[in-house]
Amino acid sequence: MSGLFTIALDAMGGDHGPQVVVPAALKALAEFSDIHLILVGDKERLTRELSASGGAPSNRLRIHHAAQVVGMDEPPSQALRTKKDSSMRVAVNLVKHQQADACVSAGNTGALMATARYVLKTLPGIDRPAIITAIPALNGHTHMLDLGANVDSTANHLYQFAVMGSELASAVDNLDAPRVGLLNIGEEDIKGNDQVKEAAHMLEHSHLNYVGFVEGNDIYCGEVDVVVCDGFVGNVALKTSEGVARMVSHYVRSQFTSGLYAKMAGLVAMPVLKALRRRIDPRAYNGASLLGLQGIVIKSHGGADAVAFLNAIRIARIEAEKKVPQRIDKRLEELLSKEEIAP
C-alpha cells in the first residue's frame, strides 16, 4: 500500500531480545503513523512483554509466532540448516513473501547475512552483499561499507560496493551525486594493494562522483559521502573508532570527577558535554543495512537498547520509503546495459 510500510522485527534476537524490541516497537508506532510492525518470536513471551510495556496487539501491531531462536554464537551454517522456524528466518521470509517491506534483527550477524542471502538472493549484477552504516562526521554523517561481510574483496567487488553505497546515499540523503572515496593507506596513486589500485581505475572511469583515495583520518572529516573498503579493513576501522570513543569518554568522566574544582568545572561544562554526547551517541547511528539483497534487511547491534533499536527501525522505514533495493536494481540494469559491470 502506498505510504504505508510494514516492518518485521526479529523480537528474539540480540543480547536482550523482547525486553528491548517490544518497547522500541511501541515507541516506533507512536513516532510514525505510517508503519505497521510484526513482532516475530515466541507468541506467549511476546504477549507478556507487550502487556508489561503497556501495549497490546492491534491493527498496527501483530505477533507472528516462531518457535526457534538463533544463538548469538551459533555457526551460520547450522542456523541456516536447522533453524528454519527461527524468529530471524521467519522475519526474512516475511520480506521474501512481500508480507513485510523490511526486517530488523539484532541477532547473530553471520547467521543473518547467510539467511538473508539464501532467502532473498542478491540483486542481478551483485556478487556479494555488503554491510553499510552511517557514521558521524564533521558535516553530518558518512556512509561506510563494507563493515565485515566480505573479508576478501576483489576490485570488482569494491566497485559494486561503491555503486550500491552511492545509490543508498543518494536515496536517503537526497544527494544528486554523492562523493565516493576509496579507503587506502595514502592518497598517492602508487599507494595500496592491487585490488585497491584496480578498483580506483574502475571508479575513475565510472559514472560515479569518485573523488579519489581517502585515508583513515579522513573518514570523519565529512569530505566524502561514501567510504568504500573491504570488510576486513572496514570492520577494524569501525571497531577501532568505537574503542577510541569509549577511551575518550572514560578520560572525560575521570577528569571531571577527579576533585572538587574538576566537578565544579564539569557542572559549568555540562551543557556542552551533553550536546557532544548527543552528537556522537552511537545509538543514533545504530542500524546497518545488508546492501545488495532483493529486499531490505537491517542489522541492529546485538547489545542495543530500546533507543538504539528504535533507530534501526527508523532506518528500515526510510529505506522502504525510498525503495533502496529497487533504486540499486535500476542503476545496475543501466550499468549492465552499458557493460560497466560484468553480467
Side-chain angles (χ1 to χ4, degrees), residues 90-149:
V90 173
V92 176
N93 280 337
L94 289 172
V95 176
K96 177 186 178 180
H97 298 304
Q98 299 182 351
Q99 296 179 44
D101 299 293
C103 74
V104 182
S105 174
N108 181 321
T109 302
L112 181 62
M113 176 61 82
T115 299
R117 185 173 182 179
Y118 176 79
V119 172
L120 298 176
K121 313 302 181 190
T122 56
L123 293 165
I126 296 299
D127 297 325
R128 300 178 180 180
I131 299 175
I132 185 171
T133 194
I135 55 178
L138 292 180
N139 300 315
H141 60 259
T142 299
H143 298 276
M144 187 171 176
L145 77 166
D146 176 37
L147 296 178

Side-chain angles (χ1 to χ4, degrees), residues 257-290:
T257 57
S258 59
L260 177 61
Y261 291 115
K263 290 179 180 178
M264 292 173 63
L267 288 174
V268 174
M270 190 61 67
V272 174
L273 294 174
K274 286 184 176 180
L276 175 63
R277 182 177 181 179
R278 287 194 300 270
R279 183 69 183 82
I280 63 174
D281 187 352
R283 298 180 301 175
Y285 296 90
N286 180 58
S289 178
L290 275 56

Side-chain angles (χ1 to χ4, degrees), residues 138-169:
L138 292 180
N139 300 315
H141 60 259
T142 299
H143 298 276
M144 187 171 176
L145 77 166
D146 176 37
L147 296 178
N150 305 281
V151 176
D152 297 308
S153 301
T154 66
N156 198 48
H157 294 149
L158 293 174
Y159 175 75
Q160 293 173 16
F161 298 165
V163 171
M164 295 191 294
S166 177
E167 202 59 39
L168 178 137

Side-chain angles (χ1 to χ4, degrees), residues 124-126 156 158-167 202-203 205-209 327-343:
I126 296 299
N156 198 48
L158 293 174
Y159 175 75
Q160 293 173 16
F161 298 165
V163 171
M164 295 191 294
S166 177
E167 202 59 39
M202 296 172 69
L203 290 169
H205 294 83
S206 74
H207 73 288
L208 299 176
N209 182 17
R327 288 183 59 139
I328 294 175
D329 189 37
K330 182 178 179 181
R331 175 63 68 187
L332 291 170
E333 284 184 7
E334 295 172 358
L335 296 178
L336 283 168
S337 66
K338 298 176 182 177
E339 298 184 347
E340 280 196 36
I341 59 175

Side-chain angles (χ1 to χ4, degrees), residues 46-62:
L46 291 176
T47 301
R48 288 200 307 269
E49 194 66 43
L50 263 177
S51 178
S53 300
S58 67
N59 62 336
R60 295 182 60 208
L61 177 66
R62 67 183 178 91

